[in-house]
Amino acid sequence: MFIGTTLYALINTSILALMAIGFNLTFGISGVANFAYGAIYILAAYCIWGMINLLQLPYLLAVAIAVLGNMVLGALIYRFVLLRIRGQALSEVIATFGIGLAILELFSYFGWVGFEYTLPVFSDRSFIIAGTYIDFQRIAIAGFAAVLIFGLWIFTHHTSVGLAFRGIAQDERTALTFGIDSDRIGALSVSIGAGLAALAALFIIPLGSISPGEGYDVLIKALAVCIIGGLGSTGGVVLASFIVGFAERFTDTYIGSHWTMIVSLAAILIVLTVKPSGLLGKQKELEERI
Amino acid sequence: MLRKNGFICALLIVSCVFMIPAVNCLAADSIVIGVPTSTGFLEGKEALKAVNLAVEEINAEGGVQVGAEKKLFKVESVDIRDAAPGVPVPEALLGLEKIILEKKPVALVVGPFRSEALMAGMDIIAKYKTPLLGTIAMSPASEGKIKKEPEKYKYIFRTCLNAKYLVKYLAGTMAHINKEFGFKKVYIMNQDVAWARKTAEIITKVYFDKAGWEVVGHEAYPTGTSDFSSALMKVRAKGAQVILPIFDMPQSGSLVKQWNSMKVPALLAGFISPLAGPGAWKTFDQKISGAINCNFEMGSAISSAKVPKSKAFADAYAKKWGASIEAGHGISPSYESIYLLAEAIERAGSLDADAIVAELKKTDREGVMGRIKFDEGHQVIYDMDPKTSAVAAVIQWNDDGTRTIVFPKSIADGGIKLPAGLKAAK
């Protein structure tokens, strides 16, 4: 039971990291808390579903279109909405949340609810690992999360665009003096964040089904992980995903399923009380030291 | 020519101006039925469609006879969102009050999903004296309130199955499983909401404890949970032979998928909303063979030749909306409620709430769910024979993607079969 719980906790960790990584990337670079993130995740899932089931497009083509479409949408949101209110945190939150709300409510309004709205699994095979059955989809999630995090590290440390991302994240004004276009990088960060949301949906949605309500859950989970880890810190996201992922599964197994949510919320509360910037966040570090 | 065109335009404008009161007059003359529900959920969406279907059928026949004149039904709906996780009850109640005050409905149909919202909303309904025919919320606690203060809460009726009757059906299914296969170890998994908690509590007390079953585990999951791996590992470790799930949230589909992928050697028999309708076969990649689901009411995603009106309803619904019913709860009661209301109004000969309520209590009708009568708690009586009461239907998924009604006996088309890989204990 312990090994099984640990394996499923690792998978839960991967799911949480996948859900949060796009949100975190956008915030870490452009400073924009994209509250439309959950809706963009769901939008990608519905788009893939629609292209496969209504337009009969091949799976890979549908996925490519959805990911690219999401990226374009992210860039458009930045160009036509966020650019004008950049730096006004409350306005950014209200604007992006409004966009997210509109997307999710539109799906509800047009009746896109039901159990048939789901995405196909990559393979329906299951494997026995250390005496525990685990399906291929979950193994794929864990593998993809690891590859994605490593890929992001390579991207931000060894590519010119990635280095520009880090430059903006560290000090936007200094980055500007080096000729880095902060608006272009900002648009790119929202765009890539939206693309990552689509990829997360592609891997996670086949475990359940697509519903507008799921968009709010994804946003809340991404926020929780990012707040615990420290907004903008990729290492923090990974660490927080481990904490919440393990806390949820071990609570479920050894304490009781109805305590799962309470333990997660308690983890957020404790971390914020001890370290208001989050585990690896630097936002209020100076104030905390003083 | 210009003058002629100008004259025609003026005539059109004047006609329109005069037509507005005429349209309003038509609207004012119709009988407004309020449908406050969670339209963002399958049960709410399909319940609203069933209501619209019944209204269309009644209006096509000329409407409802109210005293000397015939009036048409008109549906006004509002999404009260109470089924969504995290939506507080007061927010749902605001929607309920809004539709009563703004649309002035003669009666409400469908109503809250969550019994918590229904319980709190009963005072609002009593305050505005607007009859409610509830078709989703299931906790019998509302009946207790009606019995305690019958005059105050006389406006509240329920046409769907309640948790007590659900227990009767689930207990009957478990007894059948025990008799056929000798299974005696059960693991209960329920959603942490009033009706499901109550169902799990009552079935343990009135059936499992008395019939010698061992409840090897019991988990209650917050609405929105989508990972059930821990409990499924416990099912395997503790040797449970039957999993009794009680869920109405969309995420419960994940439980079915995990039950499959983790190859849990236990019979899944209970209620998981995504397993009810014909579309589940495709949704779950044709891997639900052997799973048993209690569809709460005959006509809700299942029909039987033994209840002819359920077939007629299923056909009419599919013809009107281009798709079959997928939700196993609340759909046929929503459809029937409109007919019950129409008959009560016709018998009362007025739209007065007290008169309608008095007639609703006298209901005795052959409907989609069987024979429909209310008890003193204003709950439609469900039992095992559609000739004498309303019925639910327990179905089992077959290897070819069809469903067989396996319980109750009066409408059963076959017995329960063990899925491949599971062996009887006797």
Side-chain angles (χ1 to χ4, degrees):
Chain A
M1 186 72 85
F2 178 81
I3 293 171
T5 306
T6 306
L7 287 171
Y8 274 94
L10 280 170
I11 291 160
N12 199 24
T13 299
S14 308
I15 291 172
L16 289 169
L18 260 187
M19 278 181 182
I21 203 87
F23 181 89
N24 187 68
L25 180 90
T26 304
F27 186 84
I29 291 152
S30 63
V32 172
N34 182 8
F35 274 60
Y37 184 77
I40 288 171
Y41 170 97
I42 291 298
L43 177 68
Y46 274 123
C47 285
I48 297 172
W49 182 90
M51 283 187 277
I52 294 172
N53 292 285
L54 304 178
L55 304 178
Q56 310 291 327
L57 291 186
Y59 177 75
L60 286 176
L61 181 63
V63 168
I65 293 173
V67 173
L68 287 173
N70 252 23
M71 291 180 76
V72 171
L73 176 70
L76 290 176
I77 289 174
Y78 186 87
R79 174 64 186 81
F80 292 106
V81 181
L82 294 173
L83 191 59
R84 294 159 195 276
I85 51 174
R86 182 99 192 269
Q88 302 167 47
L90 191 60
S91 301
E92 288 171 356
V93 168
I94 292 170
T96 51
F97 192 67
I99 292 167
L101 207 65
I103 294 171
L104 294 176
E105 292 308 312
L106 266 179
F107 284 120
S108 287
Y109 181 78
F110 287 112
W112 282 48
V113 288
F115 311 120
E116 73 268 32
Y117 297 103
T118 188
L119 298 181
V121 291
F122 301 143
S123 162
D124 57 8
R125 291 184 65 192
S126 293
F127 299 91
I128 303 173
I129 300 173
T132 305
Y133 275 97
I134 301 178
D135 52 291
F136 179 79
Q137 190 70 23
R138 284 181 167 78
I139 295 169
I141 287 173
F144 179 67
V147 168
L148 184 70
I149 289 162
F150 181 67
L152 273 180
W153 185 85
I154 297 278
F155 172 71
T156 51
H157 286 75
H158 297 284
T159 66
S160 58
V161 178
L163 289 169
F165 269 39
R166 288 174 65 208
I168 294 285
Q170 282 168 15
D171 193 320
E172 190 170 339
R173 288 186 184 187
T174 310
L176 278 168
T177 63
F178 280 90
I180 297 170
D181 182 348
S182 69
D183 284 337
R184 192 176 74 87
I185 297 298
L188 214 52
S189 75
V190 179
S191 172
I192 292 176
L196 290 175
L199 286 174
L202 174 72
F203 277 80
I204 299 167
I205 290 285
L207 301 180
S209 59
I210 317 168
S211 74
E214 200 76 12
Y216 300 108
D217 286 349
V218 168
L219 176 63
I220 290 167
K221 281 181 179 165
L223 264 176
V225 166
C226 290
I227 289 170
I228 294 178
L231 279 163
S233 163
T234 306
V237 164
V238 176
L239 189 58
S241 299
F242 268 101
I243 292 172
V244 178
F246 272 73
E248 281 185 352
R249 291 282 62 83
F250 274 83
T251 305
D252 195 353
T253 303
Y254 295 105
I255 300 173
S257 47
H258 53 288
W259 288 96
T260 310
M261 211 172 272
I262 296 166
V263 167
S264 306
L265 291 173
I268 296 174
L269 204 65
I270 292 166
V271 169
L272 291 184
T273 309
V274 178
K275 204 166 181 303
S277 294
L279 292 170
L280 301 180
K282 292 187 167 60
Q283 289 202 301
K284 288 175 72 182
E285 212 174 37
L286 185 63
E287 291 94 315
E288 279 169 32
R289 266 182 278 164
I290 292 167
Chain B
M1 186 68 182
L2 271 175
R3 282 184 68 183
K4 194 183 172 189
N5 282 346
F7 175 74
I8 290 169
C9 283
L11 195 67
L12 278 172
I13 291 165
V14 171
S15 308
C16 287
V17 168
F18 278 98
M19 273 171 71
I20 290 167
V23 170
N24 280 341
C25 185
L26 188 74
D29 268 356
S30 53
I31 302 167
V32 175
I33 299 171
V35 183
T37 185
S38 290
T39 49
F41 281 72
L42 184 67
E43 286 83 355
K45 184 177 87 167
E46 292 191 342
L48 182 57
K49 283 182 174 178
V51 165
N52 279 315
L53 173 64
V55 163
E56 199 179 284
E57 287 173 356
I58 290 170
N59 286 349
E61 295 292 317
V64 184
Q65 191 75 40
V66 187
E69 57 178 331
K70 276 219 162 189
K71 293 190 176 200
L72 298 180
F73 271 143
K74 184 185 171 201
V75 177
E76 293 283 357
S77 69
V78 65
D79 185 3
I80 58 171
R81 308 173 65 96
D82 66 312
V87 173
V89 166
E91 195 182 312
L93 299 187
L94 276 178
L96 197 64
E97 199 158 17
K98 182 181 154 79
I99 198 168
I100 293 173
L101 291 174
E102 287 183 3
K103 305 295 179 188
K104 310 255 182 293
V106 166
L108 301 171
V109 176
V110 187
F113 264 54
R114 297 278 156 254
S115 298
E116 293 88 335
L118 173 65
M119 294 297 287
M122 286 174 78
D123 286 310
I124 292 175
I125 290 159
K127 181 177 155 191
Y128 294 110
K129 298 183 193 303
T130 309
L132 165 73
L133 289 124
T135 69
I136 307 271
M138 291 177 64
S139 172
S142 62
E143 292 152 49
K145 269 178 102 168
I146 295 166
K147 284 177 193 165
K148 207 172 169 189
E149 291 184 76
E151 190 51 35
K152 183 179 177 185
Y153 296 119
K154 66 181 177 185
Y155 304 97
I156 295 131
F157 292 79
R158 173 163 37 221
T159 55
C160 65
L161 194 81
N162 69 5
K164 267 188 200 166
Y165 289 125
L166 173 60
V167 166
K168 203 169 176 178
Y169 271 84
L170 292 176
T173 309
M174 293 298 151
H176 193 71
I177 290 169
N178 173 256
K179 192 179 158 200
E180 291 292 316
F181 312 112
F183 291 163
K184 276 206 155 188
K185 283 184 170 185
V186 64
Y187 201 106
I188 304 173
M189 296 164 80
N190 67 271
Q191 198 173 334
D192 200 2
V193 289
W195 77 269
R197 269 196 310 267
K198 202 74 193 163
T199 304
E201 184 191 312
I202 303 174
I203 194 169
T204 304
K205 205 189 289 177
V206 305
Y207 177 71
F208 289 131
D209 289 350
K210 288 181 183 167
W213 281 67
E214 186 187 350
V215 180
V216 295
H218 183 186
E219 304 283 347
Y221 290 92
T223 302
T225 302
S226 56
D227 190 337
F228 302 89
S229 55
S230 297
L232 291 172
M233 281 189 282
K234 286 186 211 171
V235 168
R236 185 187 287 274
K238 293 183 177 181
Q241 297 149 324
V242 179
I243 301 169
L244 171 59
I246 312 167
F247 292 92
D248 69 357
M249 61 187 189
Q251 294 87 348
S252 56
S254 305
L255 171 58
V256 184
K257 289 188 177 183
Q258 279 190 303
W259 168 70
N260 248 320
S261 65
M262 293 175 77
K263 305 199 185 307
V264 182
L267 191 62
L268 194 69
F271 178 74
I272 293 187
S273 41
L275 272 183
W281 189 247
K282 192 181 165 211
T283 301
F284 297 113
D285 305 319
Q286 307 174 3
K287 288 190 171 174
I288 46 176
S289 177
I292 294 168
N293 198 69
C294 179
N295 285 25
F296 287 178
E297 304 94 12
M298 173 54 71
S300 293
I302 189 76
S303 60
S304 166
K306 291 164 186 165
V307 187
K309 279 198 173 179
S310 68
K311 285 290 255 188
F313 169 56
D315 293 345
Y317 184 99
K319 191 179 169 197
K320 161 90 180 145
W321 300 109
S324 304
I325 299 166
E326 291 294 339
H329 174 41
I331 315 308
S332 50
S334 300
Y335 175 83
E336 271 302 312
S337 293
I338 302 300
Y339 279 96
L340 299 188
L341 186 64
E343 288 179 2
I345 290 171
E346 290 193 341
R347 287 198 301 269
S350 107
L351 297 178
D352 175 65
D354 290 331
I356 293 173
V357 162
E359 290 304 324
L360 272 174
K361 285 167 89 165
K362 296 177 194 163
T363 295
D364 187 352
R365 171 185 156 82
E366 293 286 339
V368 173
M369 299 101 77
R371 188 157 187 182
I372 298 167
K373 285 181 188 174
F374 288 104
D375 66 12
E376 57 174 13
H378 292 189
Q379 162 69 45
V380 162
I381 300 162
Y382 282 78
D383 212 327
M384 302 296 165
D385 187 349
K387 290 190 182 100
T388 55
S389 67
V391 290
V394 179
I395 56 119
Q396 183 172 35
W397 281 94
N398 302 315
D399 294 339
D400 60 357
T402 57
R403 297 168 299 162
T404 302
I405 296 177
V406 292
F407 188 82
K409 214 174 171 181
S410 62
I411 54 167
D413 295 319
I416 295 174
K417 290 175 187 159
L418 281 186
L422 264 186
K423 284 181 186 161
K426 67 172 192 182

